Amino acid sequence: MTTTSAPNPATPRTSRRILTISLVIIAALVAAFFVFASLYTDFLWFDQLGFQRVLTTQWLAAAVMFVIGFLSMAAPLFVVIQLAYRLRPVYVRLSSQLDRYQEVIEPLRRLAMWGMPIFFGIFAGFAAAGNWETVWLWFSGGSTGVADPQFGMDTGFYLFAMPFYSIVLAFVSAVLLLSLIVTALVSYLYGSVRIGQGELRISKPARIQLAVLAGLYLLVQAASLWLDRFKTLVTEEDRITGAAYTGANATIPGLAILAILAALVAVLFFVTAVIGRWRFPLAATALLIVAALVVGIGYPWVVTTFQVRPNQNSFQAEYYQRNIDGTKEAYGIDDLEVTPFKAETTAEAGQLRDDAETTASIRILDPSIISPTVQQLEQFRGYYQFQDTLDVDRYEIDGETQDTVVAVRELDVNRLGDSNNWNNRTAVYTHGYGLVVAAGNQRSSEGEPVFLERGIPSSGFLTDAEKFEPRVYFGETSPPYSIVGAPEGTDPVEIDYPRGEDGANETKNTFDGDGGPAIGNTFNKLLYALKFQEAEILFSDLVNDESQILYDRDPVERVQKVAPYLTLDSDPYPSVVDGEIVWVVDGYTTSATYPYSTGVNLPDAITDSNTPAPSFALDNINYIRNSVKATVNAYDGSVTLYAWDDEDPILKAWENVYPTTVEPISEMSADLMSHVRYPTDLFKVQRQILGVYHVDTAGSFAQQDNRWQTPDDPRDPTSLQPPYYLSMQMPGQDSPRFSMFSTFIPASAQGTTSRNVLMGYLAVDSDAGSTAGEKSEGYGKLSLLEIDADTTVPGPGQVQNTFNSDPNVVRELNLLQQGESEVKYGNLLTLPVGGGLLYVQPVYVQSSDAGGTQLPLLQKVLVTFGDNVAFEDTLTAALDTIFGGDSGATGGDEEVEPTPGETTPPDEGGTDPGTETPGTGTDADAYQTALNAAQQALADREAALKDGDLTAFAEADKRLTDAVTELLALEAAAGE
């Protein structure tokens, strides 16, 4: 009889093991799917934009470098471990301590012999993958045709090859050092290296392995020392970047000597591997260390102390000149045109006649102040918004170029209030609407901007001139993502604008462009539901077969993703090009390894009162080019890159890395050319460099007695004054050009306050012309007016102080600030007109109630030339006041009717003796009495308001009104 035993049930331990393995597999699959979702949605995004090659290049390059890094670390470690173990002595007497170590390690030996190389290999792989750009640039970079003055090497070596060689040598050094340490450790554990009884014993196989590794390591150090000679040209010495006298005559020869000595010591280690004598390489290593101290530290110190410092200017002159030339070349300021300028400081009638075109274009609208005004007049709904600082552009209107202040009416879903649910913020409120354009040189009689394009639906010169697409799906404050698109014939759901036909409250629209990845199928829905962690994407009926998902919508973010090698300007700006709103973004190629060029801290250079310090890290640089102009279509998000500087060697290298991604400049339309401008951040970097490097000779540089700095913004003394765009005619130009300018004052000595007088006036031609694919001849030309030292021209801070202390200005300001009013100073513009320098500052008035509606209105204009100051309702009137009653020119606001009480022109900075103004002559007492009454009434009214005494408040308010009325009557009487 045969019996069959029942199968043994699984033990609890086996069940737990199966469960654990299953959970680990499930967790790994889920994690892998999340990784896949992220990678695949990235691919869909790039593919939709037509830049999929950028992403695949990054993936491929990183993967290749990871494999190379992994194998380059893991393989040598595996080999040296295996050799050290397999060549261990079989019969050797070990200490009891080593026996215990082996008992502990032996069960884990196989795991350690494989795990250690894999562990370090993974880290090395990630490190190598992170440096793929350096490797690819080395493959793709070429020569520049410019040689360095020390070694005669092409500067392309420093831009492309030197960084590559540095990371290769560092990586190989790490591999060899780690191999040497691991070899010594294994050899010691298994008896190949024994220490005892006062002596060190090393077996022959271990000796060969250790000596060869040590020799290879020293050879690599020799190569590193040789490369360090070239690095001296990009490191700081004395007051410059680059090798100065000590570097050229002591440090560089010393590094060459040390490199040769290190190579010789390496040969001695190789000899030891054969003959087994350790004393020679060890003694040579000690001598190498001593030589490094003497040649690398001692000798340079001696040269510096006893030769250079006593004769610094003469010894360093050649190297200072190298630094001047290298810095100017690296920052593109080598063709700067410097003009000595003896400024006129006296004002005469008709003096501005030759500058009438410039004065007519002076921008009296301040983009950083009028945003609340534009918001109040053009917002229409609470969910629309404008940027805090608007942008400056120019348009051709009726054959004339008009400087403008522009702003996009963008969507802010955070202001939807109670209607801020997923459906509304994702599929209903999807886009902003329209571009607001105001004349920069005009204002209404109430002080509001004069709009050239405005409203919902849009109306103005842009709408009238051509087919205009006002919808803004891609902007600086667009929602994180929107789902748009629907089959033909479907009722639209997207709010277009809050106004409709036939009494409707709103007009709706359906996006019909190609702006984002398709999301119609279930698989893509699932991927994006995971990406944005919102299940509504998967289940909502608003997602249909024609749906697209729009995300990463900020123009700077879009350009940065498709061109990761660019450093982008902090001020993208909107323009209407060929009937469509596009964002123009300037891109820079930069480097920190240009020989003999002084470095700049990029965040410090671009930060001013209009631009806060970047929240992300930016590198120090010593080379910059505006190599790319990028556009982002505000409707469909399409990105186009144009090679603006096709001679830039770094851009050429990146074009080899990412072929077909950058269009030639010839593809830029005439309309686009008319709106590109010289970039702000590049100009800021150049002006910082020019504070020191406006000099041409080593002698001037060495004396350091003519260093300049950018003045602080008079409105915000904690920040630098930003550069400003405006159309003006520089001395030597035959017509006004759209330009950007900044000023210089003397650099402050340590612990002292700088003297606030003008030393220089820097301007750059920012007009690229209007010919398709062709820059205008003057574009990018830097011009510097060097103010004659015998003529004192006040700087911006001094001018602002003059405005604030002038008795007539103070009196007028007191009037403007009566009641609940607050005065805001606009941008202080400096213009080279009339043979001198004219300062213009608009003055705005707004409510001082922070909780109420603040609507800055342009009420007055401050102007000064030399010692003359004018404070009038219009720029035209102020110019006439300054220049003897008739300046010979007008501002763009000449049609604005001045309010009663205009003063008449002063003579030589004073008041015309035949004119009675409030506060002078027979009306002085009456005016002062009324002013005192107004001030007392205002104080009483504020006190009554705090106490809640409405009766006293009303009585004080009536007294205030009466006093202000009396002041206005005195003003009118004085003007008759």
Side-chain angles (χ1 to χ4, degrees), residues 131-154:
N131 286 299
W132 75 265
E133 291 178 327
T134 303
V135 178
W136 257 242
L137 271 184
W138 173 67
F139 277 120
S140 305
S143 63
T144 65
V146 179
D148 81 77
Q150 178 66 33
F151 300 104
M153 298 286 289
D154 189 276

Side-chain angles (χ1 to χ4, degrees), residues 79 708 751:
V79 170
W708 301 342

Side-chain angles (χ1 to χ4, degrees), residues 48 430-431 467 469 471 473-474 483-488 492 494 496 509-516 546-548 550 580 633 635-636:
Q48 184 276 324
T430 58
H431 60 280
K467 184 180 179 182
E469 175 53 70
R471 298 172 183 87
Y473 283 87
F474 294 84
I483 297 175
V484 298
E488 188 175 351
E494 300 175 46
D496 213 6
N509 175 67
T510 297
F511 179 79
D512 61 359
D514 182 15
E546 299 297 324
S547 290
Q548 303 172 41
L550 315 180
E580 297 183 310
N633 190 292
Y635 181 71
D636 62 19

Side-chain angles (χ1 to χ4, degrees), residues 43-122:
F43 178 81
L44 291 176
W45 189 91
F46 279 89
D47 184 58
Q48 184 276 324
L49 273 178
F51 284 88
Q52 67 275 14
R53 189 161 187 173
V54 172
L55 186 64
T56 55
T57 297
Q58 294 175 7
W59 286 353
L60 178 62
V64 169
M65 289 305 300
F66 179 87
V67 172
I68 291 174
F70 177 84
L71 293 178
S72 298
M73 177 63 79
L77 281 181
F78 181 79
V79 170
V80 298
I81 291 173
Q82 292 293 327
L83 286 175
Y85 176 74
R86 294 182 182 277
L87 298 178
R88 70 193 187 282
V90 178
Y91 302 104
V92 62
R93 184 175 180 180
L94 302 177
S95 65
S96 58
Q97 188 175 14
L98 280 179
D99 282 335
R100 288 195 297 271
Y101 287 159
Q102 286 190 8
E103 290 177 3
V104 173
I105 293 172
E106 190 59 30
L108 302 173
R109 176 179 57 80
R110 187 176 298 275
L111 176 62
M113 293 176 70
W114 286 90
M116 189 179 298
I118 291 174
F119 175 78
F120 286 107
I122 290 174

Side-chain angles (χ1 to χ4, degrees), residues 551-683:
Y551 62 101
D552 290 342
R553 300 160 77 173
D554 183 275
V556 171
E557 183 179 6
R558 290 179 80 79
V559 174
Q560 192 70 81
K561 288 186 70 171
V562 302
Y565 52 89
L566 293 177
T567 299
L568 299 183
D569 194 270
S570 60
D571 185 25
Y573 60 97
S575 290
V576 174
V577 176
D578 300 319
E580 297 183 310
I581 300 174
V582 299
W583 295 92
V584 182
V585 184
D586 284 285
Y588 309 110
T589 46
T590 61
S591 176
T593 57
Y594 196 89
Y596 277 108
S597 174
T598 293
V600 164
N601 182 268
L602 197 52
D604 289 346
I606 67 176
T607 300
D608 56 33
S609 61
N610 281 350
T611 306
S615 57
F616 48 89
L618 291 172
D619 295 332
N620 290 344
I621 62 168
N622 72 352
Y623 172 95
I624 185 170
R625 289 291 185 272
N626 178 209
S627 53
V628 171
K629 300 284 187 183
T631 62
V632 178
N633 190 292
Y635 181 71
D636 62 19
S638 56
V639 179
T640 309
L641 308 175
Y642 298 99
W644 189 249
D645 185 355
D646 53 9
E647 296 300 316
D648 175 41
I650 299 180
L651 178 62
K652 289 181 179 179
W654 283 115
E655 286 186 286
N656 291 332
V657 176
Y658 299 117
T660 72
T661 58
V662 181
E663 302 287 341
I665 191 175
S666 59
E667 295 297 315
M668 297 180 71
S669 70
D671 203 9
L672 176 56
M673 292 295 295
S674 69
H675 288 286
V676 298
R677 67 191 190 190
Y678 201 79
T680 309
D681 287 354
L682 174 60
F683 187 74

Side-chain angles (χ1 to χ4, degrees), residues 4 214 373 599 617:
T4 303
T373 305

Side-chain angles (χ1 to χ4, degrees), residues 822-838:
E822 174 188 3
V823 168
K824 292 181 71 70
Y825 289 105
N827 40 212
L828 183 59
L829 304 178
T830 313
L831 295 98
V833 295
L837 290 160
L838 177 77

Side-chain angles (χ1 to χ4, degrees), residues 122-468:
I122 290 174
F123 277 98
F126 281 119
N131 286 299
W132 75 265
E133 291 178 327
T134 303
V135 178
W136 257 242
L137 271 184
W138 173 67
F139 277 120
S140 305
S143 63
T144 65
V146 179
D148 81 77
Q150 178 66 33
F151 300 104
M153 298 286 289
D154 189 276
T155 54
F157 167 81
Y158 298 91
L159 295 175
F160 307 119
M162 190 174 72
F164 169 74
Y165 294 147
S166 295
I167 65 170
V168 169
L169 290 173
F171 186 88
V172 175
S173 293
V175 171
L176 289 172
L177 183 61
L178 195 57
S179 297
L180 188 62
I181 293 172
V182 169
T183 297
L185 180 62
V186 174
S187 298
Y188 176 73
L189 286 174
Y190 288 94
S192 297
V193 175
R194 287 173 290 164
I195 303 174
Q197 298 180 352
E199 62 178 347
L200 173 66
R201 295 183 180 182
I202 305 175
S203 67
K204 181 178 180 179
R207 182 196 72 213
I208 295 173
Q209 187 170 340
L210 290 170
V212 168
L213 286 173
L216 291 174
Y217 180 77
L218 282 170
L219 276 182
V220 173
Q221 301 316 301
S224 296
L225 289 167
W226 192 260
L227 184 65
D228 286 345
R229 297 163 59 249
F230 300 100
K231 290 183 180 180
T232 59
L233 271 60
V234 296
T235 55
E236 293 184 5
E237 182 182 338
D238 194 7
R239 296 192 300 245
I240 65 173
T241 295
Y245 183 87
T246 300
N249 295 279
T251 305
I252 290 176
L255 289 170
I257 293 171
L258 291 176
I260 295 171
L261 290 177
L264 292 176
V265 175
V267 171
L268 291 177
F269 273 102
F270 294 144
V271 171
T272 294
V274 178
I275 66 174
R277 299 291 182 89
W278 285 98
R279 67 182 62 179
F280 299 117
L282 293 177
T285 301
L287 290 175
L288 178 62
I289 295 173
V290 173
L293 295 175
V294 174
V295 177
I297 298 176
Y299 181 54
W301 180 83
V302 170
V303 171
T304 299
T305 303
F306 298 104
Q307 285 187 279
V308 175
R309 286 180 182 170
N311 311 280
Q312 184 165 353
N313 289 355
S314 59
F315 272 54
Q316 302 285 41
E318 175 187 353
Y319 306 98
Y320 287 167
Q321 193 62 51
R322 290 181 181 183
N323 178 243
I324 292 171
D325 297 339
T327 299
K328 289 187 173 184
E329 167 65 26
Y331 290 98
I333 57 176
D334 49 334
D335 60 349
L336 174 72
E337 183 179 280
V338 180
T339 303
F341 189 69
K342 187 174 180 61
E344 290 287 342
T345 57
T346 57
E348 299 178 356
Q351 193 165 334
L352 300 184
R353 188 164 287 112
D354 293 337
D355 296 295
E357 289 186 77
T358 295
T359 61
S361 300
I362 294 176
R363 180 176 49 76
I364 56 176
L365 285 190
D366 185 347
S368 64
I369 286 183
I370 65 168
S371 180
T373 305
V374 174
Q375 188 91 356
Q376 289 297 322
L377 299 177
E378 291 293 315
Q379 184 179 28
F380 292 99
R381 290 291 187 272
Y383 47 78
Y384 288 130
Q385 72 164 14
F386 297 91
Q387 291 294 315
D388 292 337
T389 299
L390 309 187
D391 290 292
V392 176
D393 201 356
R394 72 273 190 207
Y395 287 89
E396 185 174 319
I397 303 175
D398 298 329
E400 299 290 334
T401 300
Q402 172 71 58
D403 286 7
T404 59
V405 175
V406 300
V408 170
R409 187 184 291 105
E410 293 200 62
L411 178 68
D412 184 1
V413 294
N414 295 321
R415 300 184 180 185
L416 290 177
D418 294 338
S419 60
N420 189 2
N421 56 53
W422 183 88
N423 282 265
N424 285 336
R425 67 174 179 267
T426 302
V428 178
Y429 296 94
T430 58
H431 60 280
Y433 191 94
L435 182 77
V436 173
V437 182
N441 61 341
Q442 300 175 32
R443 72 171 179 92
S444 71
S445 57
E446 292 80 18
E448 297 176 355
V450 174
F451 292 106
L452 307 175
E453 180 77 24
R454 66 182 303 182
I456 291 182
S458 295
S459 63
F461 77 102
L462 294 171
T463 307
D464 297 340
E466 56 190 327
K467 184 180 179 182
F468 176 47

